[in-house]
Amino acid sequence: MAERKPITSWLTDMDGVLIHEGIPIPGADAFIKRLRDSGLPFLVLTNNSIYTARDLHARLQRMGLDVPVENIWTSALATAQFLDDQRPGGTAYVIGEAGLTTALHDIGYVLTDHDPDYVVLGETRTYSFEALTKAIRLINAGARFICTNPDETGPSAEGPLPATGSVAALITKATGKDPYFAGKPNPLMMRTGLNAIGAHSETSAMIGDRMDTDVLAGLEAGMQTFLVLTGLTTVADIDRYPFGPSHVVESIADLVDLVELPDQADQPTTGNRD
């Protein structure tokens, strides 16, 4: 295997890597602090499109994880960036929460159910049969079908919940139209995120707990990949896939020392002067 360049920027998934069901994973606070102390570009990513980056900043801060708003990248933001590149100033019928609708408003999109350019499906805990029926009819009438992410289930305290990918399958079955997924494992989400922080894939690393989204997305974007075992994937699961991560570690705590701090020689010295 060719020797990789030093890692000068970091991307990390959120659920299963930094937090689990609203509780920080041991070592997550030290990792985030180390990233901030290093001055290296970094992003915390999530396929969840429910919350805005500002919402997630506040939620993480309450858990003791101080992640600036500009260092949070969601599938909703990636979807908005994609649509802005494809059809600036377009229109969309949206099924989702504030994270998605805010992202689309911010790029100047008009949200409407009257002859929209796109039907955009995101995450919500209250999928409406009426809204899904409208989406199916609009897609059949010619609207393009976009989804924030392909995740089939999401976590909750009571157990797995159907997520965007499952609902997208229902719409596909009713329309015969497959959606375009903007979130992981689409490398588009990784590349737009890297562009947002001015980073390059060959010197970047992706940390995740899922082979089918995090590791695959990092691999296809040309990044080093770290699989942590604090989420959905076990060691036994890895061989089920025809690809593998660059590294497997127990948790985010094992990666703290890999984040390089500025050369101490370049730091100002303190102490008594003669």
Side-chain angles (χ1 to χ4, degrees):
M1 183 180 294
E3 184 176 349
R4 298 294 301 250
K5 294 183 179 180
I7 299 169
T8 59
S9 55
W10 292 84
L11 278 65
T12 177
D13 186 36
M14 187 171 68
D15 294 306
V17 178
L18 301 178
I19 62 174
H20 180 69
E21 293 186 1
I23 299 173
I25 290 171
D29 54 347
F31 184 76
I32 294 298
K33 183 178 185 303
R34 181 88 167 196
L35 282 174
R36 299 198 67 180
D37 289 345
S38 74
L40 296 175
F42 75 93
L43 281 179
V44 171
L45 300 99
T46 178
N47 258 359
N48 190 316
S49 64
I50 291 177
Y51 304 106
T52 67
R54 191 165 61 251
D55 294 335
L56 290 173
H57 162 75
R59 291 167 67 88
L60 290 170
Q61 194 166 51
R62 287 197 298 270
M63 301 177 204
L65 304 178
D66 191 10
V67 182
V69 172
E70 60 270 20
N71 294 101
I72 297 173
W73 192 246
T74 72
S75 64
L77 293 171
T79 300
Q81 180 67 64
F82 169 74
L83 292 179
D84 193 34
D85 291 341
Q86 288 284 303
R87 182 167 292 196
T91 60
Y93 176 69
V94 178
I95 299 175
E97 300 287 346
L100 181 56
T101 57
T102 300
L104 293 175
H105 276 137
D106 286 348
I107 61 165
Y109 256 56
V110 173
L111 307 189
T112 179
D113 61 359
H114 178 68
D115 193 26
D117 299 318
Y118 299 97
V119 166
V120 183
L121 176 67
E123 206 78 44
T124 176
R125 296 292 172 86
T126 56
Y127 286 111
S128 155
F129 185 79
E130 180 182 356
L132 295 176
T133 300
K134 186 178 290 291
I136 289 165
R137 291 171 179 169
L138 290 171
I139 292 168
N140 282 334
R144 296 167 177 83
F145 185 20
I146 305 293
C147 285
T148 56
N149 67 85
D151 296 29
E152 295 172 354
T153 61
S156 79
E158 296 78 25
L161 295 171
T164 312
S166 295
V167 179
L170 181 156
I171 295 175
T172 294
K173 196 71 173 178
T175 62
K177 302 290 180 62
D178 291 319
Y180 181 80
F181 293 106
K184 296 177 295 180
N186 189 342
L188 172 78
M189 181 170 175
M190 316 300 283
R191 290 173 179 164
T192 53
L194 289 171
N195 289 340
I197 59 174
H200 300 282
S201 60
E202 62 182 359
T203 54
S204 299
M206 174 65 196
I207 309 165
D209 71 310
R210 295 182 61 148
M211 290 288 293
D212 57 346
T213 54
D214 305 318
V215 171
L216 181 58
L219 173 70
E220 293 189 344
M223 304 163 64
Q224 287 195 59
T225 55
F226 290 84
L227 177 71
V228 298
L229 302 177
T230 49
L232 295 175
T233 305
T234 67
V235 171
D237 293 328
I238 297 173
D239 287 339
R240 294 174 43 227
Y241 295 88
F243 56 88
S246 307
H247 312 275
V248 180
V249 297
E250 287 296 324
S251 77
I252 193 73
D254 297 313
L255 301 179
V256 175
D257 291 340
L258 293 186
V259 180
E260 295 187 3
L261 293 172
D263 190 340
Q264 296 299 315
D266 294 335
Q267 302 302 307
T269 59
T270 59
N272 295 329
R273 294 184 177 180
D274 293 335

